[in-house]
């Protein structure tokens, strides 16, 4: 396997992404969206498409840049640092990875649309308060040549802005993954107001008609397509959370060097120095796990579960620590809405729950390690 | 497969064949405990002929120190080849043929700061396990504040006369030689009056007195120097600039200590080992802790890999070795607490059904002290990596 260092191409991508996001989507940009009650910036998304980001996992023959999962993680990480808001993970990572598993013209066209930035996907998998794809209840019962879907999905990330939905449903002998237009008859979307001020929706399906064409992969066999897609999403989300941790940490260290109390910079107090050093150590260790997950998905995707869950578990712990310490070391100002640290804290909480929390992934690691 | 992959696979086949032919069956039990370690030295007693044979054969290949240059007794392997050797040894459970402070600490320091003559003189005997070294850094008044060492070396022609005391000197009573930090200029700022000096323990005036550890063992000593005459040719680097050598050596010591927990349990997951214990891993609290520990252990192991990748690519690891030392040793302590807890009252006996687990558990407490404490590591990170003011 390649090393855990960035390749030259990845370093260039990272530098370019950082430069672009610092200008086009700094944290203040997210604040503007939040204040305006918006969860999507079409112009930003179009620019991401232009730079090849939305096509990062789309094959070149379908119009993508096909840079791979490690590269997708680099991009997600940079977006995490500035809290750049976009449907990147649900669309360019999860939907693209799912569609790639399927060799149909329809899937190829859909991949082309993702690369072009012409479509937004929402992921309609979760139903209960915890990520649990296998526990899916939403039913798609056979109806002539097709299906009828009934039930409710919650925490459908990017579901409000989505043009299409990936829907996991229970069918005769297992689970089946559907790729449906979000405005199909019988689908009702209710936007959820989450703490991180990003897009999520509750989606109800009332006897929604679907054909065999709407099925992604094989009937009763959703996981062949969905598992790699979820793992790709989990890896990218881990990268985003690590980026978020780094963003919060940079603010915190900056403040330690500048804020004075008792006549000196608070960064001179060893109690804070050691906590900052511990936090940095945690981010360094998590970085290794995130890099490893990206490499594993690129080089040995069939056996990436351990690597991906390790990354997500570590990222959850590190992000939690980074934002808790971030608020604490800022004192009162850290608690104010005017200051950005709260945004990092709220995003960390939502990202931790999405696609499986610490417990979910630690259990997967343990299972993969034989206990 | 690229050309270099082909070459690596050829090397792997060669290594496998060689190990198959040369590693004595008795040396294939994967043992890494205290009794299995060969430290070498003038007075070393091998516990079996196989142990000696294994050491001699590996030393002849340069594989006791695989990455050192061939001319100094090493194997001249780069990281990729070294990794293959390591993997193939592990695949057959081959014991590490030789471990020593010479390999872990003095060797890397000599390679970086020693003269060609010093390298030729000192490195091959280390590689062959003929000379055993110990580390004379700490003193009663100089622990975390290492640069305040007071043991003095006064100039006397082409010799120094050394007087003073070291403490916590691991294996001083078993070692042939000591690498010591001595003060050669008492007027200079404390970091600028220290010299890195090599001293033969058989020189008149050197005495040692063992100290007992909480684990019941007695692996370290007080070391005394009374008018000890040492040739000036034994200075590594420059007089009064020994602090640079000392720091370089410390980064290697820290990496070695931080990797200490990696070989623990024969590289098997903690949870699996705990599962095998009586009653299995049924306690939900213990189980959750074991999972968390496994997550962190895997991530720390990957970080060791990443830093090795970085060092190999010329990036260097530098002050980040403090992070590895901090994280690795704190993790190792956590794992041993878990093992003890899982073993319950069975683990409390010195030599019970879990062997030396209790004394291992006690020994790990030193990991976050020796080679620089965890608090000192955090201070290094905050100052040198984060740039916080002091
Ligand atoms: C098993 C074992 C083997 C050893 N082997 C060797 C050896 O072979 N050769 C050798 O030279 N030495 C050896 N040592 C010594 C070891 O390097 C020292 O013990 C260590 O550097 C700490 O020094 P100290 O014991 O004087 O503790 P102190 O420095 O007195 O520390 C006491 C406590 O104060 C804390 N502290 C000190 N300064 C600061 C600060 N600035 N900020 C915050 N906290 C601080 C420490 O972290 C620690 O918790 C060994 C030690 C052990 C336990």
């Amino acid at each position: 396997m390649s090393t855990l260092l960035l390749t030259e191409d990845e370093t260039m991508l990272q530098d370019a992404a950082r430069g672009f996001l610092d200008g086009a989507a700094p944290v203040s940009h997210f604040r503007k969206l939040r204040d305006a009650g918006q969860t999507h910036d079409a112009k930003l998304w179009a620019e991401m498409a232009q730079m090849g980001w939305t096509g990062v996992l789309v094959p070149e023959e379908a119009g993508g840049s096909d840079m791979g999962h490690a590269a997708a993680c680099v991009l997600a990480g940079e977006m995490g640092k500035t809290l750049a808001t976009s449907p990147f993970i649900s669309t360019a990572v999860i939907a693209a990875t799912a569609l790639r598993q399927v060799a149909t013209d329809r899937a190829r066209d859909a991949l082309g649309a993702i690369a072009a930035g012409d479509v937004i996907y929402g992921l309609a998998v979760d139903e209960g308060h915890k990520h649990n794809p296998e526990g899916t209840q939403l039913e798609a019962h056979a109806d002539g040549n097709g299906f009828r879907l009934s039930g409710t999905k919650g925490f459908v990330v990017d579901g409000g802005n989505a043009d299409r939905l990936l829907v996991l449903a229970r069918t005769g002998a297992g689970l089946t993954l559907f790729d449906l237009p979000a405005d199909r008859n019988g689908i009702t979307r209710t936007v959820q107001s989450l703490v991180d001020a990003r897009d999520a929706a509750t989606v109800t399906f009332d006897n929604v008609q679907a054909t065999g064409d709407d099925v992604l992969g094989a009937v009763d066999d959703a996981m062949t397509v969905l598992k790699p897609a979820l793992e790709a999403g989990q890896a990218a989300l881990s990268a985003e959370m690590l980026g978020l941790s780094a963003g919060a940490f940079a603010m915190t260290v900056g403040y330690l060097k500048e804020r004075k109390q008792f006549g000196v910079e608070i960064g001179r107090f060893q109690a804070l120095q050691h906590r900052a050093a511990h936090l940095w150590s945690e981010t360094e260790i998590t970085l290794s796990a995130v890099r490893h997950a990206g490499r594993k998905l690129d080089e040995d995707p069939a056996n990436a579960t351990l690597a991906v869950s390790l990354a997500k578990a570590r990222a959850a712990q590190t992000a939690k620590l980074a934002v808790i310490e971030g608020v604490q070391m800022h004192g009162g100002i850290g608690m104010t809405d005017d200051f950005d640290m709260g945004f990092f804290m709220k995003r960390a909480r939502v990202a931790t729950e999405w696609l499986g929390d610490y417990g979910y992934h630690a259990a997967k690691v343990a299972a993969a390690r034989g206990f | 497969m690229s050309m270099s992959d082909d070459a690596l696979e050829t090397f792997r086949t060669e290594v496998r064949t060689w190990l198959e032919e040369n590693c004595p069956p008795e040396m294939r039990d994967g043992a890494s405990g205290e009794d299995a370690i060969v430290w070498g030295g003038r007075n070393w007693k091998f516990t079996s002929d196989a142990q000696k044979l294994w050491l001699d054969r590996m030393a002849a290949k340069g594989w006791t120190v695989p990455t050192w240059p061939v001319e100094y007794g090493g194997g001249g392997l780069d990281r990729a080849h070294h990794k293959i050797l390591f993997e193939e040894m592990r695949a057959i459970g081959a014991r590490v043929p030789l471990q020593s402070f010479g390999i872990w600490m003095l060797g890397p320091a000599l390679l970086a700061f020693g003269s060609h003559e010093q390298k030729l003189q000192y490195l091959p005997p280390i590689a062959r396990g003929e000379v055993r070294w110990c580390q004379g850094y700490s003193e009663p008044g100089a622990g975390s504040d290492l640069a305040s060492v007071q043991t003095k070396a006064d100039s006397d022609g082409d010799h120094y006369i050394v007087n003073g005391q070291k403490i916590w000197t691991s294996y001083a009573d078993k070692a042939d030689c000591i690498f010591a930090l001595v003060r050669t200029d008492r007027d200079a700022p404390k970091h600028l009056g220290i010299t890195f000096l090599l001293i033969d323990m058989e020189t008149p005036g050197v005495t040692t007195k063992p100290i007992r550890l909480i684990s019941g063992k007695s692996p370290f000593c007080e070391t005394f120097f009374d008018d000890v005459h040492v040739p000036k040719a034994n200075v590594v680097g420059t007089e009064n600039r020994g602090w640079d050598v000392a720091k370089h050596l410390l980064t290697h010591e820290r990496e070695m200590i931080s990797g200490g927990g990696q070989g623990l349990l024969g590289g098997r997951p903690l949870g699996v080992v705990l599962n095998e214990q009586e009653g299995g891993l049924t306690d939900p609290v213990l189980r959750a802790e074991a999972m968390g520990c496994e997550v962190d252990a895997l991530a720390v192991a990957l970080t060791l890999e990443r830093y090795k990748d970085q060092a190999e690519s010329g990036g260097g690891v530098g002050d980040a070795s403090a992070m590895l030392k901090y994280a690795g040793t704190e993790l190792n302590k956590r794992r041993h607490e878990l093992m003890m807890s899982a073993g319950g009252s069975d683990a409390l006996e010195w030599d019970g059904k879990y062997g030396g687990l209790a004394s291992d558990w006690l020994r790990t407490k030193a990991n976050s002290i020796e080679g620089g404490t965890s608090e000192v590591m955090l201070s290094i990170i905050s100052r040198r990596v984060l740039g916080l003011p002091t």
Side-chain angles (χ1 to χ4, degrees):
Chain A
M1 197 151 89
S2 321
T3 74
L4 295 176
L5 307 179
L6 290 182
T7 62
E8 242 170 80
D9 285 351
E10 288 162 356
T11 305
M12 273 164 55
L13 182 69
Q14 185 176 51
D15 291 346
R18 191 169 298 167
F20 171 75
L21 291 167
D22 281 346
V27 183
S28 57
H29 175 260
F30 167 71
R31 179 181 289 279
K32 273 194 210 118
L33 284 179
R34 197 272 317 245
D35 290 348
Q38 287 168 2
T39 53
H40 183 61
D41 177 351
K43 181 168 163 280
L44 181 65
W45 185 237
E47 284 171 324
M48 289 183 177
Q50 217 145 47
M51 293 182 293
W53 295 7
T54 60
V56 66
L57 292 171
V58 173
E60 282 174 20
E61 59 272 21
S65 54
D66 206 7
M67 292 184 275
H69 293 280
C73 286
V74 165
L75 292 173
E78 292 308 312
M79 293 182 211
K81 278 182 196 156
T82 66
L83 298 175
T85 303
S86 81
F88 177 75
I89 292 182
S90 51
T91 305
V93 177
I94 297 175
T97 305
L99 288 160
R100 275 189 92 134
Q101 317 292 320
V102 182
T104 63
D105 288 348
R106 226 174 61 56
R108 223 196 52 159
D109 292 348
L111 282 166
I114 289 176
D118 290 342
V119 64
I120 294 173
Y121 269 88
L123 182 70
V125 167
D126 289 333
E127 297 175 7
H129 70 296
K130 284 287 175 186
H131 180 63
N132 179 17
E134 278 80 9
T136 292
Q137 297 292 321
L138 183 140
E139 212 180 337
H141 64 86
D143 178 41
N145 278 340
F147 300 88
R148 291 276 180 173
L149 280 69
S150 290
T152 303
K153 294 286 182 184
F155 196 16
V156 177
V157 169
D158 296 315
N161 298 313
D163 307 300
R164 300 192 68 88
L165 297 170
L166 289 184
V167 187
L168 184 61
R170 190 157 290 285
T171 41
L175 297 172
T176 301
L177 188 64
F178 292 87
D179 177 355
L180 303 176
D183 58 1
R184 183 162 292 176
N185 253 344
I187 294 180
T188 313
R189 293 183 280 169
T190 314
V191 168
Q192 292 177 295
S193 173
L194 298 191
V195 292
D196 70 343
R198 297 203 194 187
D199 182 16
T202 304
V203 184
T204 57
F205 296 79
D206 182 11
N207 218 23
V208 174
Q209 210 165 3
T211 67
D213 262 1
D214 294 325
V215 172
L216 218 51
V219 174
D220 292 333
D221 182 27
M223 284 307 161
T224 301
V225 172
L226 187 59
K227 184 169 168 280
L230 289 177
E231 288 182 352
Q234 285 154 351
L237 191 56
S238 308
E240 185 201 313
M241 294 169 80
L242 179 64
L244 175 164
S245 309
F249 182 65
M251 284 174 70
T252 306
V253 171
Y255 197 64
L256 291 181
K257 291 178 184 173
E258 146 205 323
R259 167 73 174 167
K260 286 192 171 168
Q261 283 296 284
F262 301 97
V264 295
E265 300 92 333
I266 57 172
R268 285 188 195 273
F269 301 133
Q270 199 185 56
L272 300 189
Q273 289 181 342
H274 282 192
R275 278 161 56 182
H278 172 72
L279 176 53
W280 179 78
S281 304
E282 291 296 300
T283 59
E284 275 292 286
I285 292 166
T286 299
L287 171 61
S288 315
V290 169
R291 288 264 174 84
H292 180 59
R295 291 274 179 265
K296 199 74 186 163
L297 283 169
D298 282 330
E299 294 172 20
D300 187 15
N303 300 302
T305 305
L306 171 62
V308 168
S309 284
L310 179 65
K312 185 72 167 53
R314 281 287 316 184
Q317 296 297 75
T318 300
K320 181 166 74 178
L321 186 69
V323 297
I324 288 176
E325 292 289 48
V327 168
Q328 180 67 21
M329 292 194 208
H330 277 88
I333 200 176
M335 288 300 294
T336 62
D337 186 72
D338 273 348
F339 197 66
D340 293 334
M341 189 57 78
F343 290 152
F344 286 88
M345 179 169 272
K346 290 177 271 195
R347 178 56 188 163
R349 189 79 272 285
V350 174
T352 294
E353 285 303 321
W354 192 31
L355 304 176
D357 65 0
Y358 176 77
Y360 178 89
H361 288 289
K364 277 200 186 278
V365 168
R369 296 283 286 167
F371 69 101
Chain B
M1 215 186 255
S2 70
M3 278 297 284
S4 73
D5 283 345
D6 271 343
L8 285 178
E9 282 316 302
T10 310
F11 179 71
R12 188 183 292 282
T13 314
E14 283 168 20
V15 169
R16 193 172 295 172
T17 314
W18 188 87
L19 288 174
E20 202 42 66
E21 285 165 6
N22 290 283
C23 184
E26 301 93 315
M27 295 292 108
R28 299 186 191 191
D29 56 2
S32 61
E34 194 73 33
D35 299 339
I37 298 178
V38 175
W39 291 101
R42 293 173 195 148
N43 302 315
W44 184 255
K45 303 255 179 312
F46 291 95
T47 55
S48 67
D49 292 343
Q51 212 178 43
K52 177 161 174 27
L53 192 64
W54 180 223
L55 170 59
D56 289 345
R57 286 177 176 171
M58 284 292 275
K61 291 288 275 187
W63 286 354
T64 52
V65 284
T67 59
W68 290 9
V70 176
E71 63 174 326
Y72 303 133
L77 303 187
D78 64 9
R79 170 134 192 272
H81 288 82
H82 184 202
K83 213 166 159 182
I84 288 175
L85 173 61
F86 177 78
E87 284 165 4
E88 291 303 316
M89 284 176 66
R90 195 157 74 178
I92 62 163
R95 292 189 191 180
V96 176
L98 179 70
Q99 305 188 47
S100 74
F101 289 14
I103 293 177
W104 295 322
M105 303 183 214
L106 181 62
L110 279 174
L111 285 169
F113 291 91
S115 65
H116 178 62
E117 290 69 32
Q118 285 175 328
K119 292 177 195 172
L120 280 179
Q121 181 180 353
Y122 296 112
L123 294 176
I126 291 174
R128 292 192 297 264
E130 290 165 1
V131 173
R132 182 171 178 180
W133 289 85
C134 64
Q135 178 188 32
Y137 275 29
S138 306
E139 296 179 4
S144 298
D145 183 14
L146 180 60
S148 65
V149 287
Q150 294 303 325
T151 296
K152 58 178 182 177
D154 295 324
S155 179
D156 182 27
D158 56 359
H159 276 67
Y160 292 114
I161 300 176
V162 179
N163 279 288
Q165 182 196 344
K166 296 288 173 184
I167 196 165
W168 322 130
T169 328
S170 296
Y171 307 113
D173 51 344
K174 311 218 164 47
D176 308 307
C177 299
I178 185 168
F179 48 91
L181 298 183
V182 295
R183 188 154 299 282
T184 35
D185 186 345
R186 268 168 280 180
D187 301 324
K190 64 180 180 181
H191 293 90
L192 299 177
I194 296 170
T195 297
F196 190 102
L197 194 60
L198 308 177
I199 304 173
D200 195 310
M201 296 293 278
E202 283 173 16
T203 319
V206 181
T207 48
T208 62
K209 191 170 147 223
I211 312 170
R212 210 162 126 106
L213 276 182
I214 53 174
S215 61
K217 306 211 163 116
S218 176
F220 62 14
C221 299
E222 290 177 277
T223 307
F224 302 93
F225 300 93
D226 294 301
D227 288 334
V228 178
H229 287 244
V230 182
K232 286 190 175 167
N234 289 13
V235 171
V236 178
T238 321
E239 186 183 72
N240 291 329
R241 301 315 297 258
W243 187 244
D244 297 337
V245 188
K247 275 193 306 185
H248 181 86
L249 183 144
L250 277 174
T251 63
H252 285 273
E253 177 177 8
R254 287 169 188 160
E255 273 166 51
M256 183 273 292
I257 297 172
S258 63
Q262 299 294 324
L264 184 76
L265 320 171
R268 293 156 72 221
L270 177 69
V272 173
V273 176
L274 294 178
N275 260 330
E276 288 165 3
Q277 305 204 338
E278 200 173 292
L281 195 53
T282 49
D283 176 345
V285 174
L286 212 54
R287 211 181 146 72
E289 275 181 35
M291 283 183 183
C293 213
E294 188 69 18
V295 165
D296 293 341
L298 289 170
V300 167
L302 284 170
T303 306
L304 279 171
E305 285 298 306
R306 182 162 67 85
Y307 278 42
K308 281 184 203 157
D309 287 339
Q310 199 168 310
E312 172 94 354
S313 77
V317 174
D319 296 321
S321 71
M323 188 278 284
L324 291 177
K325 206 264 172 186
Y326 165 64
T329 58
E330 294 296 336
L331 177 71
N332 207 20
K333 290 199 294 187
R334 220 169 113 203
R335 293 209 276 194
H336 277 85
E337 283 296 334
L338 259 172
M339 299 281 290
M340 284 301 284
S341 181
S345 60
D346 285 341
L348 303 178
E349 289 182 71
W350 286 117
D351 284 305
K353 62 191 275 200
Y354 298 123
L357 180 61
S359 64
D360 286 352
W361 157 68
L362 289 164
R363 179 61 182 82
T364 57
K365 300 302 183 224
N367 295 162
S368 51
I369 299 172
E370 59 200 333
T373 67
S374 283
E375 291 73 28
V376 168
M377 296 305 105
L378 290 170
S379 290
I380 289 176
I381 294 167
S382 61
R383 215 169 43 246
R384 303 215 203 114
V385 181
L386 307 183
L388 291 175
T390 46

